[in-house]
Amino acid sequence: PGDIVPRTLVPTSTQGSDYAAGIYLYNRTNLPVDLAAIASAPVEITLPEEGPQVLIMHTHGTEAYTPDGEDIYTPSDGNTRTLEEAYNVVRIGDEIERIFTEMGLSVIHDRTLYDYPKYNGAYDRSAVGVEEYLAQYPSIKIVLDVHRDALEGSGGEIYKMVSTEAGEKVAQVMLVVGTDSGGASHPGWADNLALAVRFQKELISDYVSLARPIALRSSSYNQELSPGSLLVEVGAHGNTLQEALAAARMFARAAGAVLLEYK
């Protein structure tokens, strides 16, 4: 692997992105977005009193981080994937679940590795899983698909996304919102974007640079299956597990505070 280069992705201008209410949005679609209107629109979500409210799952569950210290694992495919749940993004989901539960939210964590033994088709397989959970538990109103990013430079260098929060080096977090720009039937994508904006507002008010700009993309990422669906990228493959776990805790506290407003 190439050299690992720390980067803090913070926009320095609005060029190339939509900007409103302190929120930056990288719109990678051909869809027009009125970010100011979305930022001021109410989020139409009510979490029920009974039953699970949040589903955490992982379309790419084997995604892992750069081995460091005692966080050493057996790779399953390439250098930064593993079946060991203590070291892949399932562990990140565990951390988010723990914080949410402590805050009083009712969570189901789907630990299925949809990207193993075959990576291709993972979204098709995870869609079936999400649909089964939604059918079994109609009380679920939030679906978080937790991943980690992968960023490499043209020279083979590997980027790790870092923020310094209260003196601690942590991974950066990015919310990804899918749309129907790529052809999927997903008329409700703007509602998911409204939730992402609400999360982002909390993240930028609570932390220095934990949150990367929201990414709006052409793929739907199965987010058409349920309102309140978001993809969360916690760090990148250049980050360490400990940096990602710290970021997961911070993200969960901010997102959890928002979700509690909808109870």
Side-chain angles (χ1 to χ4, degrees), residues 30 55 59 149 252:
N30 56 8
L55 172 64
T59 296
D149 208 350

Side-chain angles (χ1 to χ4, degrees), residues 210-226:
L210 180 73
R212 294 165 58 186
I214 299 171
L216 189 72
R217 295 187 180 154
S218 297
S219 297
S220 72
Y221 303 111
N222 295 334
Q223 292 174 10
E224 72 277 13
L225 298 178
S226 171

Side-chain angles (χ1 to χ4, degrees), residues 106-236:
S106 179
V107 184
I108 287 180
H109 185 191
D110 177 6
R111 311 171 70 83
T112 308
L113 300 179
Y114 292 107
D115 60 342
Y116 188 85
K118 194 167 63 170
Y119 186 82
N120 288 344
Y123 276 100
D124 293 335
R125 293 187 291 274
S126 69
V128 173
V130 170
E131 286 176 321
E132 287 176 351
Y133 274 106
L134 293 173
Q136 186 176 354
Y137 302 105
S139 56
I140 292 173
K141 301 300 178 187
I142 303 292
V143 180
L144 300 181
D145 189 356
V146 178
H147 296 242
R148 62 107 175 102
D149 208 350
L151 296 168
E152 293 190 23
S154 55
E157 63 273 22
I158 294 170
Y159 292 111
K160 62 189 276 179
M161 306 295 102
V162 293
S163 176
T164 302
E165 305 292 341
E168 183 182 11
K169 289 276 190 203
V170 307
Q172 285 187 293
V173 174
M174 180 172 67
L175 299 171
V176 179
V177 180
T179 68
D180 53 11
S181 176
S185 176
H186 184 17
W189 63 265
D191 295 330
N192 289 337
L193 179 56
L195 177 63
V197 166
R198 187 64 195 83
F199 278 0
Q200 191 84 349
K201 281 182 178 177
E202 189 71 26
L203 288 166
I204 63 176
S205 69
D206 291 355
Y207 303 108
V208 179
S209 53
L210 180 73
R212 294 165 58 186
I214 299 171
L216 189 72
R217 295 187 180 154
S218 297
S219 297
S220 72
Y221 303 111
N222 295 334
Q223 292 174 10
E224 72 277 13
L225 298 178
S226 171
S229 293
L230 295 175
L231 195 153
V232 186
E233 303 260 20
V234 181

Side-chain angles (χ1 to χ4, degrees), residues 59-72:
T59 296
H60 297 149
T62 67
E63 289 177 335
Y65 297 90
T66 293
D68 177 70
E70 295 180 1
D71 296 324
I72 308 297

